[in-house]
Amino acid sequence: MALMGTIVVFSLVASAMIVTSNGAQEKLSVEEDLELERQMKILNKPAVKTIKTEYGDIFDCVDIHKQPAFDHPLLKNHKLQTSPSFIPEARKQGAPSMATTAMIGLPDGGCPQGSVPIRRIQKQELKNARMFFNYSNEATMPTANHPGAAYSSTVRWRGNEKLYGTRFLSNVWGHQLKEDQCSSACTWVQNGCDSINAGWMVSPNLFGDSRTRLFIYWTADCYKKTGCYNTFCPGFVQIDTEMPLGAFIRPLSNYEGSQFDIQLDVFKDLSSDGTWWLVYNGIRPVGYWPMELFSKLPDHAETMAWGGYVYGPKARPSPPMGSGYFAHFGYGRACFFRNIQLMDNFRAFYDPQEGNLRYGSNSQCYDWSGSCEDGSWGCGLYFGGPGC
C-alpha cells in the first residue's frame, strides 16, 4: 500500500551570501544581515560555563530560566517545568535487544545545576538554517524557485483513536555528506499544521560537519514560518544538563558489525495543559515543547510516522538514507526502527495494530520492509538505500 511521501521544499531566505543548487550566489541586504546579528545575540546567551568538545563543538551553560526558548513571545508568561509528571510504561516489554545503547552527552558531567547546555550557533550555520529546507506533509515536487529534491521511506499510523505519544528504537549510522545534503531518521508527530520531529541527523549545513547528532524540529503552521531545528530559534525548552540538542551520538553502527541504537519517547504530559516531552532511553527527560507553541497538539496527535528522510540538490546524486543499504539487507546491514509503540490516555505504551500501519517510499532510490512481530522486534521497519 502506497504511503504519501514526506517531501521537503528547499526555501531560499535572504542571507549574506548563499550558494544555490545551480551555483549562483544570492546576496542579502544590510538590514537582513543585521537581523542575523540580532538573532545571534538572542540565541547565544551569556554562559556560566563553556564546554568545548573534542570535536570542536561549543556548548554554553546558560541559566535555565534565561535560555533562548523564553525569548519566544508566546512563552513570556510560561512557567518552567523541570520534569514530566510521569514517565510512560509499556504494557508489554519486548525481549532484550541485540543492539547496544548509544551514548549522547557532554564530558565531565555537563553543566552545573541551574543551567542547561545550549549549542553555540555560528553565523554561517544560522544563515544555512534560514535558507535550508522546510518539511511539508504533501508530496510537493521541486520547482525552479524551490530546486531541492527530498525522499522518504516511512511507516505511518492511520486510525481513528487519539494519540498521546510514541516510543521507538533506531540504530544510528554515519555518513560523509556534502554541505548541501542531509540524512536523518526520525518520528513525525502531527495534528493539523502542528508537527514535531525527533531523531538523529547528519547535516553539514546545520552543524558544520558530518557527525551524527540528536535533533528535533517543530512547526505550528505547516512548516511555513514558525519553528526550526533544535535551538536555531526560541521554542523548545532544554532541561537535561548533559544531553543537549545537537550533541553527537556515539558509537555508530557498523555494517555486519556492532549495532548501536537510541530509544526516544515523545509524549504528551496528560497531567499538564498540553506539554509534549522528549525523553531519552525511557528515563532521561531532555526537554519539552510548551503547549503555548501549538493550537491542536495540546489536545492530542492524529498522525504519527517513523522512518528515514534525505535531502539533496535536484541536479546531483541523492545522499544515502539510513545505513546506505536497502531494507532487504536486514539486521546488521540496514537501518531500522523497532519496538514502535503508541501511548494511550492511560499513560501506557502499547503496540499498534498492524492493520493501521501504512508503509511506503516515494522513490526507487530507497525502499522499506516492515512487520509487527513478537519478541524484541515488535512493530517496525527496515528502510534506506544508497541514493541515486
Side-chain angles (χ1 to χ4, degrees), residues 116-164:
V116 291
I118 304 294
R119 184 176 178 274
R120 188 180 298 179
I121 298 174
Q122 307 300 320
K123 188 174 182 180
Q124 186 60 50
E125 294 171 347
L126 186 58
K127 292 176 184 177
N128 293 339
R130 292 192 62 192
M131 55 77 69
F132 211 36
F133 47 75
N134 296 313
Y135 280 102
S136 170
N137 292 325
E138 298 184 5
T140 305
M141 293 307 295
T143 67
N145 293 326
H146 304 285
Y151 309 94
S152 65
S153 292
T154 60
V155 54
R156 182 180 295 266
W157 184 94
R158 290 187 177 179
N160 296 320
E161 60 197 272
K162 295 180 179 180
L163 304 175
Y164 299 97

Side-chain angles (χ1 to χ4, degrees), residues 87 104-105 240-243 278-287:
I87 298 292
I104 309 175
D240 194 281
T241 60
E242 297 181 53
M243 190 179 298
L278 174 66
V279 172
Y280 178 72
N281 207 26
I283 56 174
R284 294 192 63 166
V286 178

Side-chain angles (χ1 to χ4, degrees), residues 32-322:
E32 289 164 330
D33 198 47
L34 288 174
E35 173 62 18
L36 281 178
E37 293 286 353
R38 187 189 69 83
Q39 291 185 28
M40 291 284 292
K41 292 179 180 179
I42 293 175
L43 298 176
N44 293 326
K45 301 288 188 180
V48 299
K49 175 183 177 181
T50 295
I51 300 172
K52 187 172 183 178
T53 71
E54 59 185 307
Y55 298 109
D57 286 320
I58 298 176
F59 290 89
D60 291 319
C61 297
V62 177
D63 185 320
I64 192 171
H65 296 280
K66 298 179 181 179
Q67 60 180 293
F70 297 117
D71 288 310
H72 196 292
L74 294 177
L75 302 184
K76 182 179 179 180
N77 298 315
H78 178 79
K79 184 178 179 180
L80 176 70
Q81 301 176 34
T82 56
S83 65
S85 63
F86 67 95
I87 298 292
E89 296 183 356
R91 289 183 189 170
K92 182 180 68 175
Q93 299 292 337
S97 171
M98 292 182 288
T100 302
T101 300
M103 297 181 294
I104 309 175
L106 297 177
D108 303 323
C111 289
Q113 290 299 316
S115 66
V116 291
I118 304 294
R119 184 176 178 274
R120 188 180 298 179
I121 298 174
Q122 307 300 320
K123 188 174 182 180
Q124 186 60 50
E125 294 171 347
L126 186 58
K127 292 176 184 177
N128 293 339
R130 292 192 62 192
M131 55 77 69
F132 211 36
F133 47 75
N134 296 313
Y135 280 102
S136 170
N137 292 325
E138 298 184 5
T140 305
M141 293 307 295
T143 67
N145 293 326
H146 304 285
Y151 309 94
S152 65
S153 292
T154 60
V155 54
R156 182 180 295 266
W157 184 94
R158 290 187 177 179
N160 296 320
E161 60 197 272
K162 295 180 179 180
L163 304 175
Y164 299 97
T166 180
R167 167 176 288 177
F168 63 86
L169 291 102
S170 175
N171 57 345
V172 289
W173 297 85
H175 301 291
Q176 288 297 316
L177 301 184
K178 298 183 183 300
E179 288 186 359
D180 46 11
Q181 294 179 328
C182 167
S183 183
S184 69
C186 66
T187 186
W188 289 259
V189 177
Q190 299 171 321
N191 188 344
C193 280
D194 293 349
S195 180
I196 55 182
N197 306 73
W200 60 262
M201 170 182 282
V202 180
S203 176
N205 254 347
L206 289 180
F207 304 114
D209 58 35
S210 284
R211 293 186 178 86
T212 305
R213 299 174 183 270
L214 176 69
F215 91 98
I216 63 101
Y217 191 97
W218 68 273
T219 180
D221 60 356
C222 290
Y223 307 93
K224 294 177 181 177
K225 294 182 179 180
T226 64
C228 63
Y229 291 92
N230 294 0
T231 55
F232 280 89
C233 70
F236 183 86
V237 179
Q238 176 76 29
I239 294 298
D240 194 281
T241 60
E242 297 181 53
M243 190 179 298
L245 301 177
F248 59 89
I249 305 171
R250 63 195 190 282
L252 302 177
S253 299
N254 298 295
Y255 183 81
E256 294 188 338
S258 299
Q259 299 299 295
F260 297 90
D261 63 16
I262 58 173
Q263 176 182 303
L264 294 179
D265 300 352
V266 178
F267 64 91
K268 177 187 171 182
D269 189 337
L270 297 176
S271 298
S272 74
D273 49 10
T275 296
W276 282 77
W277 281 87
L278 174 66
V279 172
Y280 178 72
N281 207 26
I283 56 174
R284 294 192 63 166
V286 178
Y288 64 92
W289 294 267
M291 61 82 62
E292 293 93 334
L293 298 175
F294 306 110
S295 60
K296 293 189 175 182
L297 274 178
D299 185 64
H300 68 281
E302 290 187 342
T303 302
M304 292 190 179
W306 310 262
Y309 159 84
V310 297
Y311 171 85
K314 187 178 180 181
R316 303 176 190 172
S318 57
M321 177 191 293

